[in-house]
Amino acid sequence: MNKYRLKVLVFIFGFSFVCLNLFSQSSDLLDSLINDFQHGSNKQKIEAANELAWQLRYNHKDSALNYAQWAYNASTELVNEKTKITALKRIGVVLKNKGNFQQALEKMKEALLISKSLDSEKGMAAIHNNIGTVYREIGVLDEAYKHYISSLRIKEVYYPNSRTLCNTYRNLGNFYSIYRDNIDTAAYYFNEAERIAIALGENDILASIENDRGNLHRIKKDYQKAKEHLLRALSIFKEVDNKQGKAFTLLTIGEVSTKLKEFTNAQIYLDECLSLLKIKGDSIGIARTNVNLGHLLFQQARYEAAIK
């Protein structure tokens, strides 16, 4: 038995069965990916590990990181630069989701460097977008903008009218609304994103765009207009059964309803949001919701309850 095969078996027996228990309610996709990871060829194992990392990047970050790191190690051993780049992108995204921004940047820049060495401009688009998002999160806005625009230019050439271009338009819309206070430019990018999402029939993206617009009006303190967009987003998220989108839209509607002094509705929205996030085990989301619940109670002069 060669060294590579032994490493695969050690990982499978030491980690995958833990994941099988974790995903006892997994979808057919997860079941299929785990099966490929356990029983497929070397190439299938690596591709399955990278895809599992992507599918689990929000709600099971540690598991996602383990799968992506395994894919990176296996790709390095097999000298497969393409899957190595994918693994680095996955590691970077998961680290970003865990709040490890500097480490995330290191992995993403490593992926970008390898892509440049392969002269793979198409492959750089998503990496630039991810780097831009990390820089945005840590407040390095000029770098964020530079990478978003680099991503946009590549995607407009290689991925016209695509889901990935749609997401970059959304990112730029949010960038201009939140960090540049340029509402007109933000609206332009949201409209471009909506045009593509409608053409593709991507209802989950349409919901996210309505959410973006709601946040834009929330920033402008036009809370009634914000609520209208957020309620449309919530309706679509319910239709497509996107629980994560539903949870965070409820969170924002709860905040906006508090601003409108619609306290009963705010309580309903925030309680529903909290219930969804507890099921998902999202500690950051739970903390944010509790902050908003505390603010709601404070606005009602329920100070003792707010402290709790």
Side-chain angles (χ1 to χ4, degrees):
M1 182 178 295
N2 64 37
K3 184 172 73 170
Y4 174 75
R5 180 64 179 164
L6 178 60
K7 286 183 178 180
V8 172
L9 289 174
V10 168
F11 185 87
I12 288 172
F13 286 105
F15 178 68
S16 287
F17 288 125
V18 174
C19 289
L20 282 171
N21 290 331
L22 179 63
F23 309 128
S24 59
Q25 301 299 319
S26 64
S27 67
D28 290 342
L29 173 60
L30 287 176
D31 290 337
S32 175
L33 290 170
I34 291 171
N35 182 69
D36 285 348
F37 181 73
Q38 289 181 310
H39 306 295
S41 66
N42 291 342
K43 180 182 178 183
Q44 286 174 319
K45 285 181 171 69
I46 295 172
E47 290 176 347
N50 273 329
E51 186 59 26
L52 280 163
W54 184 251
Q55 295 296 325
L56 306 176
R57 67 194 184 279
Y58 291 118
N59 298 324
H60 298 288
K61 301 179 188 69
D62 290 336
S63 297
L65 191 58
N66 282 328
Y67 274 119
Q69 187 63 55
W70 184 92
Y72 174 82
N73 294 340
S75 297
T76 301
E77 188 165 335
L78 294 175
V79 197
N80 187 329
E81 296 295 85
K82 183 177 179 181
T83 55
K84 184 176 179 179
I85 290 169
T86 302
L88 283 166
K89 290 193 292 185
R90 301 292 187 259
I91 293 169
V93 168
V94 176
L95 287 170
K96 185 262 295 181
N97 291 347
K98 288 169 70 69
N100 299 334
F101 297 119
Q102 290 303 325
Q103 288 179 293
L105 279 175
E106 290 172 11
K107 298 301 181 183
M108 292 174 183
K109 287 181 178 180
E110 185 179 348
L112 188 62
L113 190 63
I114 297 172
S115 292
K116 286 180 179 178
S117 73
L118 298 176
D119 197 24
S120 175
E121 188 177 40
K122 286 178 69 175
M124 297 179 200
I127 304 171
H128 277 300
N129 187 71
N130 291 340
I131 292 173
T133 299
V134 175
Y135 275 125
R136 185 194 71 198
E137 292 287 338
I138 61 177
V140 186
L141 301 183
D142 288 341
E143 285 295 311
Y145 179 76
K146 181 179 77 174
H147 284 282
Y148 279 148
I149 291 298
S150 294
S151 177
L152 178 66
R153 287 171 179 164
I154 295 169
K155 289 180 180 181
E156 285 181 331
V157 173
Y158 292 105
Y159 306 102
N161 299 316
S162 65
R163 182 184 177 102
T164 186
L165 176 59
C166 183
N167 285 329
T168 296
Y169 282 139
R170 280 191 58 223
N171 282 338
L172 281 164
N174 283 310
F175 184 87
Y176 273 101
S177 68
I178 298 170
Y179 301 105
R180 289 289 186 258
D181 195 27
N182 189 328
I183 304 304
D184 291 339
T185 303
Y188 164 78
Y189 282 119
F190 288 147
N191 289 341
E192 286 297 291
E194 182 180 56
R195 173 183 60 78
I196 295 174
I198 290 172
L200 295 175
E202 294 281 6
N203 287 334
D204 58 333
I205 297 181
L206 285 172
S208 296
I209 294 167
E210 285 299 318
N211 212 334
D212 295 335
R213 287 171 170 153
N215 278 313
L216 186 153
H217 288 289
R218 178 180 62 83
I219 291 166
K220 291 170 61 179
K221 298 185 179 181
D222 186 350
Y223 298 120
Q224 191 58 52
K225 193 72 173 177
K227 187 177 178 183
E228 291 172 12
H229 285 288
L230 291 166
L231 286 173
R232 283 200 285 271
L234 181 62
S235 177
I236 300 171
F237 278 134
K238 287 181 177 179
E239 287 176 13
V240 299
D241 195 29
N242 184 329
K243 292 182 174 59
Q244 180 157 330
K246 179 182 174 182
F248 285 105
T249 303
L250 285 165
L251 176 62
T252 311
I253 298 175
E255 178 186 344
V256 167
S257 295
T258 300
K259 295 289 187 182
L260 291 169
K261 299 191 182 304
E262 298 173 356
F263 298 136
T264 300
N265 286 338
Q267 184 79 51
I268 292 170
Y269 292 131
L270 292 172
D271 284 345
E272 187 177 356
C273 173
L274 192 61
S275 294
L276 286 171
L277 293 172
K278 284 181 177 178
I279 291 170
K280 286 182 166 292
D282 187 336
S283 56
I284 295 175
I286 290 168
R288 289 176 59 192
T289 307
N290 280 324
V291 168
N292 282 8
L293 281 166
H295 182 67
L296 169 62
L297 293 167
F298 182 83
Q299 292 298 310
Q300 296 173 284
R302 297 166 60 188
Y303 304 121
E304 290 297 323
I307 292 171
K308 297 176 182 178

